[in-house]
Amino acid sequence: MGAMRSAATVGGPRRIRWGDVLLTAVACVSWSLVGMAGVAALGLHLLGADAAGSLGPMTAAAVVLGAGGSVTPSGDVSAFGLEGAEATTAIEVTPLGVSLAGALLLAFFFLRSLRALGVEISPGELAARAGAVAALFLAMLAGLAWAGHDVITLDGASLGLDQLPDGGGLTDDLPGGIGELLPDRLGDLVEAEAAVGFTVDTGPSLLGGLVWVLGVLVVALLFSRRTPLPAALAFLDRVARPAFSALVTVLLVAVAAGLAAAAYAAIGDDHPGRIAGAALLGAPNGVWLAVPLGLFVPWDGKATGALAEVLPAPLDAFFRASADEPATVGRLAELDGRVWLLVVAVAVMMLFAGVLAAARTPVGPLSAAGFAGRCAVRLGGVGAVVVPLLVWLTAVSANASLSVLGFDAFGASLSLQGQAGMGLLLGAVWGLGAGGLGALLAYGAGAAGGRVVGGASGAGGGAASGPGAGPLSGDEVGPYDPAPPFRPANPQTNPYLRLPDEVRESSRDGSSPPDEWPQGGGGRKR
């Protein structure tokens, strides 16, 4: 690999072709936003959200939320002829299904453009390509922020309240004599109008979008082991890329399993569209919330009113009963013993990540214990970064209330936030354990170092050794340094080793000594 890099840079730094940079940025951003908009629109339609408002603005707002933006809902309800009746709503949640669709497409086209440049890329060209993608993405996000606002107006007549002149028996069971007051006010309720709107916050959305797009590009570069890096970052090929790509791979597989489970649940449900829509928008939210929970990361939260139904069981029952204590696996298992299966599943997932990282890490001259220690340290470092990131991405905060003259007529709230500090510690501990055990399993099975690609093959300062060390594990690898043959050359089966007739005849005459004959390069007489 070192010889190939040197050969590629003999001519000096390559000029940046700005036309190619711009076309790459257009392809990356357009495909990414198309994927995000498609997932958001389909998910909202399956949930029936377009029945209450325009699907276009809601899709734009969902894409902005998926890209790290901010949306502020607002509402004003005037009922019973009273002033000051206001509905307030605040929502902070990222539809990770939308985010993941856009991130996968953006990473695919960005990495594909980098691989076309050869075995090495200059820091200037990498910065130019990443900067062009980020700038164009922010420009498109600003357009979505302008389009992502809408106002939905509801009136009592449209709700069918004019068909209930005496309350229709709906108020007979209300306590405290409240039901006696409502029938006389139903006429006023028919005249009531509710205006509920949402607006994208442009400034925070652009800042969040910048963080999102740069984060996606960094994750993509660390994940893809075959994409070239500048010479100054070549150490990432052997230090970070094998472990990071392994852990991200198992997280994506977990999302695919979540989607498969949602599809199975939708088959026998009365409303399969709702399950499918919720899975499209929020399957990664649920799966990536379960991973830190299965690693014993505590979660703080509370849930009241209708919003508590959003949480999966037994989290909903736990936070309804106790909002002062953090949710842990032990406390949740007291409500449902099947929670321990989550720990088993996450442990198997981490062990698989350890085996996969070991297969992608060169063995070098290390012993089994040394190789296991190297893999453990690297996967532990990656786990200490990825687990807190999952905690941050899956945090949820929502509040909705309708207050009339200072009295709350309706209230619902939902808050869920993992402890990032414990996520960092437990991610490192689980990474150390899974990395070491997975490396020992891979070493014993002969799979260690068997999936090494790119610059990682030069790790350890020498040729790889031990189980799984193949012909492509040395410092000088590639098509210009073929591996030695498995058997001696045979001129009878290899026509390129046969001497031409004129050379053979001259050797019989003694005009050409044998030591001057061409070695392996003689061609056949035509």
Side-chain angles (χ1 to χ4, degrees):
M1 179 60 69
M4 294 176 64
R5 290 182 182 271
S6 301
T9 56
V10 169
R14 178 170 37 202
R15 290 183 57 188
I16 299 177
R17 295 181 294 181
W18 292 104
D20 189 20
V21 170
L22 180 60
L23 289 177
T24 298
V26 170
C28 293
V29 174
S30 59
W31 278 108
S32 176
L33 291 178
V34 166
M36 296 175 75
V39 171
L42 181 59
L44 291 172
H45 174 70
L46 292 175
L47 287 174
D50 53 346
S54 178
L55 185 60
M58 285 189 290
T59 299
V63 171
V64 172
L65 282 175
S70 176
V71 175
T72 300
S74 61
D76 182 75
V77 179
S78 298
F80 307 109
L82 301 175
E83 299 295 335
E86 184 178 1
T88 60
T89 307
I91 300 176
E92 295 180 7
V93 61
T94 302
L96 293 180
V98 178
S99 301
L100 185 59
L104 291 177
L105 290 171
L106 182 68
F108 173 79
F109 287 99
F110 182 72
L111 296 175
R112 184 178 181 181
S113 68
L114 294 184
R115 294 193 192 104
L117 299 178
V119 297
E120 187 174 340
I121 183 174
S122 65
E125 181 147 10
L126 179 60
R129 290 179 176 272
V133 170
L136 184 58
F137 187 85
L138 290 182
M140 297 298 293
L141 194 64
L144 291 175
W146 174 80
H149 61 87
D150 194 15
V151 175
I152 305 170
T153 302
L154 304 176
D155 60 88
S158 65
L159 299 177
L161 298 178
D162 53 348
Q163 304 299 324
L164 300 173
D166 59 352
L170 298 177
T171 62
D172 294 341
D173 298 329
L174 294 179
I178 299 178
E180 299 176 359
L181 301 177
L182 290 181
D184 295 335
R185 294 295 185 177
L186 283 178
D188 296 332
L189 186 59
V190 173
E191 305 295 333
E193 292 186 354
V196 180
F198 56 90
T199 304
V200 174
D201 300 327
T202 303
S205 296
L206 293 180
L207 179 60
L210 178 61
V211 174
W212 183 86
V213 67
L214 293 180
V216 169
L217 296 180
V218 170
V219 170
L221 288 173
L222 291 176
F223 174 78
S224 176
R225 298 175 297 137
R226 291 181 172 85
T227 302
L229 288 174
L233 300 177
F235 68 95
L236 294 176
D237 283 330
R238 57 184 182 274
V239 173
R241 276 182 161 180
F244 189 86
S245 63
L247 190 53
V248 172
T249 298
V250 297
L251 289 175
L252 293 178
V253 172
V255 172
L259 291 173
Y264 177 78
I267 294 177
D269 192 82
D270 296 335
H271 303 283
R274 295 181 181 179
I275 295 180
L280 282 175
L281 298 178
N285 294 73
V287 172
W288 291 345
L289 184 151
V291 170
L293 185 62
L295 298 178
F296 301 105
V297 176
W299 286 79
D300 299 315
K302 64 178 181 178
T304 60
L307 289 178
E309 300 177 359
V310 177
L311 294 176
L315 280 175
D316 54 348
F318 178 84
F319 285 122
R320 278 175 173 170
S322 175
D324 299 331
E325 298 179 355
T328 61
V329 174
R331 292 193 178 103
L332 293 176
E334 296 176 359
L335 300 175
D336 190 344
R338 293 175 297 178
V339 173
W340 292 113
L341 296 176
L342 175 63
V343 179
V344 176
V346 175
V348 172
M349 184 195 77
M350 292 296 296
L351 182 59
F352 179 72
V355 173
L356 190 58
R360 296 176 176 181
T361 301
V363 180
L366 298 175
S367 62
F371 179 68
R374 170 188 288 177
C375 293
V377 170
R378 292 178 179 178
L379 189 59
V382 172
V385 174
V386 172
V387 175
L389 181 61
L390 294 180
V391 170
W392 175 65
L393 287 175
T394 54
V396 178
S397 176
N399 178 70
S401 65
L402 177 64
S403 57
V404 181
L405 299 179
F407 295 94
D408 290 335
F410 171 80
S413 64
L414 173 62
S415 176
L416 192 61
Q417 177 65 57
Q419 298 180 9
M422 290 298 297
L424 187 150
L425 177 61
L426 291 172
V429 171
W430 278 86
L432 286 170
L437 182 57
L440 292 176
L441 291 176
Y443 195 96
R451 303 289 294 177
V452 176
V453 298
S457 58
S465 62
L472 297 181
S473 299
D475 285 327
E476 300 295 334
V477 296
Y480 302 104
D481 187 20
F486 294 99
R487 59 183 180 181
N490 185 1
Q492 300 299 323
T493 58
N494 189 347
Y496 294 99
L497 297 179
R498 299 172 187 170
L499 294 177
D501 295 339
E502 56 270 17
V503 176
R504 185 182 301 107
E505 293 174 359
S506 62
S507 65
R508 293 173 181 173
D509 299 338
S511 58
S512 177
D515 56 357
E516 296 181 3
W517 292 353
Q519 300 296 322
R524 291 180 295 177
K525 182 177 180 181
R526 297 182 181 275

